[in-house]
Amino acid sequence: MRILIAEDDFLSRKTISGYLSRYGECDITADGMEATFAFTSAVESGEFYDLVCLDVMMPMVDGVQALQIIRDTEEQHSVPEDKLCKVIMLTALNDDRTQKKAIEIGCAEYVNKPIDYDKMDAVLKKIGLI
Protein backbone atom coordinates (compact mmCIF):
# COMPACT_ATOMS: atom_id res chain seq x y z
CA MET A 1 0.00 0.00 0.00
CA ARG A 2 1.25 3.51 -0.80
CA ILE A 3 0.53 6.04 1.93
CA LEU A 4 0.88 9.83 2.05
CA ILE A 5 0.88 11.53 5.44
CA ALA A 6 0.46 15.30 5.82
CA GLU A 7 1.05 16.44 9.39
CA ASP A 8 2.73 19.67 10.54
CA ASP A 9 3.74 18.39 13.99
CA PHE A 10 7.07 16.51 13.88
CA LEU A 11 6.29 14.06 16.68
CA SER A 12 2.87 13.27 15.22
CA ARG A 13 4.45 12.67 11.78
CA LYS A 14 6.94 10.23 13.30
CA THR A 15 4.29 8.41 15.32
CA ILE A 16 1.76 8.13 12.50
CA SER A 17 4.35 7.05 9.93
CA GLY A 18 5.81 4.52 12.36
CA TYR A 19 2.38 3.02 12.88
CA LEU A 20 1.33 3.03 9.20
CA SER A 21 4.67 1.79 7.87
CA ARG A 22 3.69 -1.74 8.85
CA TYR A 23 0.99 -1.53 6.17
CA GLY A 24 3.03 -0.01 3.38
CA GLU A 25 5.43 2.61 2.10
CA CYS A 26 4.88 6.02 3.72
CA ASP A 27 5.70 9.39 2.19
CA ILE A 28 5.63 12.20 4.73
CA THR A 29 4.93 15.90 4.23
CA ALA A 30 4.86 18.76 6.73
CA ASP A 31 1.98 20.78 5.31
CA GLY A 32 -0.90 20.73 2.85
CA MET A 33 1.06 22.40 0.08
CA GLU A 34 3.77 19.72 0.17
CA ALA A 35 1.07 17.05 0.32
CA THR A 36 -0.74 18.30 -2.77
CA PHE A 37 2.54 18.59 -4.66
CA ALA A 38 3.50 15.01 -3.71
CA PHE A 39 0.03 13.76 -4.59
CA THR A 40 -0.04 15.48 -7.98
CA SER A 41 3.45 14.21 -8.81
CA ALA A 42 2.38 10.67 -7.94
CA VAL A 43 -0.76 10.87 -10.11
CA GLU A 44 1.21 12.30 -13.03
CA SER A 45 3.69 9.42 -12.79
CA GLY A 46 0.94 6.80 -12.48
CA GLU A 47 2.00 5.80 -8.96
CA PHE A 48 -1.20 6.30 -7.05
CA TYR A 49 -1.57 6.56 -3.30
CA ASP A 50 -3.95 4.11 -1.67
CA LEU A 51 -4.26 6.14 1.52
CA VAL A 52 -3.79 9.81 2.34
CA CYS A 53 -3.88 11.00 5.96
CA LEU A 54 -4.42 14.75 6.26
CA ASP A 55 -4.15 16.81 9.42
CA VAL A 56 -6.98 19.34 9.36
CA MET A 57 -4.98 22.25 10.80
CA MET A 58 -1.79 22.83 8.80
CA PRO A 59 0.00 25.96 7.62
CA MET A 60 -0.18 27.26 4.04
CA VAL A 61 -2.84 24.81 2.84
CA ASP A 62 -5.04 23.20 5.48
CA GLY A 63 -6.27 19.62 5.33
CA VAL A 64 -9.70 20.43 3.90
CA GLN A 65 -8.16 22.58 1.15
CA ALA A 66 -5.64 19.81 0.44
CA LEU A 67 -8.48 17.28 0.21
CA GLN A 68 -10.25 19.46 -2.35
CA ILE A 69 -7.06 19.77 -4.41
CA ILE A 70 -6.54 16.00 -4.23
CA ARG A 71 -10.07 15.28 -5.47
CA ASP A 72 -9.74 17.93 -8.20
CA THR A 73 -6.41 16.43 -9.28
CA GLU A 74 -7.94 12.97 -9.54
CA GLU A 75 -10.77 14.36 -11.64
CA GLN A 76 -8.49 16.42 -13.91
CA HIS A 77 -6.30 13.38 -14.57
CA SER A 78 -9.28 11.01 -15.03
CA VAL A 79 -8.01 8.69 -12.32
CA PRO A 80 -9.97 5.42 -12.57
CA GLU A 81 -12.38 4.82 -9.71
CA ASP A 82 -10.42 1.82 -8.45
CA LYS A 83 -7.33 4.03 -8.13
CA LEU A 84 -8.96 6.86 -6.17
CA CYS A 85 -7.25 7.26 -2.81
CA LYS A 86 -8.97 6.84 0.51
CA VAL A 87 -8.52 9.94 2.67
CA ILE A 88 -8.56 9.98 6.45
CA MET A 89 -8.75 13.39 8.08
CA LEU A 90 -6.88 13.71 11.40
CA THR A 91 -7.84 16.40 13.86
CA ALA A 92 -7.75 17.61 17.43
CA LEU A 93 -10.75 19.84 16.66
CA ASN A 94 -14.32 18.98 17.48
CA ASP A 95 -15.83 21.01 14.65
CA ASP A 96 -18.91 19.55 13.00
CA ARG A 97 -18.86 22.08 10.14
CA THR A 98 -15.30 21.16 9.13
CA GLN A 99 -16.08 17.46 9.40
CA LYS A 100 -19.22 17.83 7.25
CA LYS A 101 -17.27 19.79 4.62
CA ALA A 102 -14.51 17.14 4.48
CA ILE A 103 -17.07 14.36 4.08
CA GLU A 104 -18.82 16.29 1.30
CA ILE A 105 -15.52 16.69 -0.55
CA GLY A 106 -14.79 13.00 -0.23
CA CYS A 107 -12.90 11.94 2.85
CA ALA A 108 -13.49 8.33 3.84
CA GLU A 109 -13.17 8.82 7.59
CA TYR A 110 -12.50 11.44 10.24
CA VAL A 111 -10.21 10.42 13.13
CA ASN A 112 -9.75 12.45 16.32
CA LYS A 113 -6.39 13.08 17.96
CA PRO A 114 -4.76 11.80 19.97
CA ILE A 115 -5.03 8.81 17.70
CA ASP A 116 -6.17 5.55 19.23
CA TYR A 117 -4.39 3.02 17.01
CA ASP A 118 -6.85 0.22 17.78
CA LYS A 119 -9.59 2.50 16.44
CA MET A 120 -7.35 3.43 13.49
CA ASP A 121 -7.03 -0.27 12.64
CA ALA A 122 -10.83 -0.51 12.73
CA VAL A 123 -11.07 2.48 10.37
CA LEU A 124 -8.54 0.96 7.96
CA LYS A 125 -10.54 -2.28 7.97
CA LYS A 126 -13.81 -0.40 7.48
CA ILE A 127 -12.53 1.38 4.38
CA GLY A 128 -11.06 -1.84 2.99
CA LEU A 129 -7.35 -1.13 3.22
CA ILE A 130 -6.40 -3.90 5.68
Side-chain angles (χ1 to χ4, degrees):
M1 173 176 9
R2 289 198 69 223
I3 303 164
L4 176 62
I5 300 165
E7 169 63 63
D8 64 325
D9 179 73
F10 175 78
L11 185 56
S12 293
R13 276 195 307 272
K14 293 283 287 178
T15 304
I16 295 165
S17 65
Y19 162 74
L20 289 174
S21 67
R22 64 184 172 166
Y23 296 118
E25 174 189 338
C26 295
D27 292 333
I28 305 165
T29 60
D31 61 52
M33 185 174 288
E34 285 182 9
T36 57
F37 178 76
F39 185 85
T40 301
S41 295
V43 168
E44 289 174 350
S45 68
E47 296 182 13
F48 304 104
Y49 285 104
D50 302 294
L51 173 63
V52 177
C53 293
L54 297 172
D55 182 17
V56 170
M57 296 188 319
M58 293 185 288
M60 312 233 295
V61 174
D62 70 30
V64 175
Q65 292 168 319
L67 173 60
Q68 184 66 64
I69 293 166
I70 285 168
R71 293 302 183 215
D72 290 345
T73 299
E74 290 174 328
E75 185 176 333
Q76 291 165 359
H77 288 85
S78 302
V79 174
E81 191 166 333
D82 67 326
K83 297 293 184 186
L84 297 176
C85 70
K86 304 277 199 252
V87 177
I88 298 175
M89 304 300 290
L90 309 172
T91 187
L93 295 176
N94 188 7
D95 178 4
D96 291 339
R97 195 175 92 207
T98 301
Q99 183 174 358
K100 183 179 178 195
K101 177 78 172 165
I103 290 168
E104 287 172 1
I105 295 169
C107 82
E109 284 291 329
Y110 211 84
V111 174
N112 290 318
K113 293 180 185 177
I115 296 171
D116 175 327
Y117 289 103
D118 289 333
K119 288 182 182 177
M120 183 66 125
D121 277 345
V123 166
L124 293 172
K125 287 177 186 171
K126 179 181 175 184
I127 62 177
L129 290 177
I130 62 170

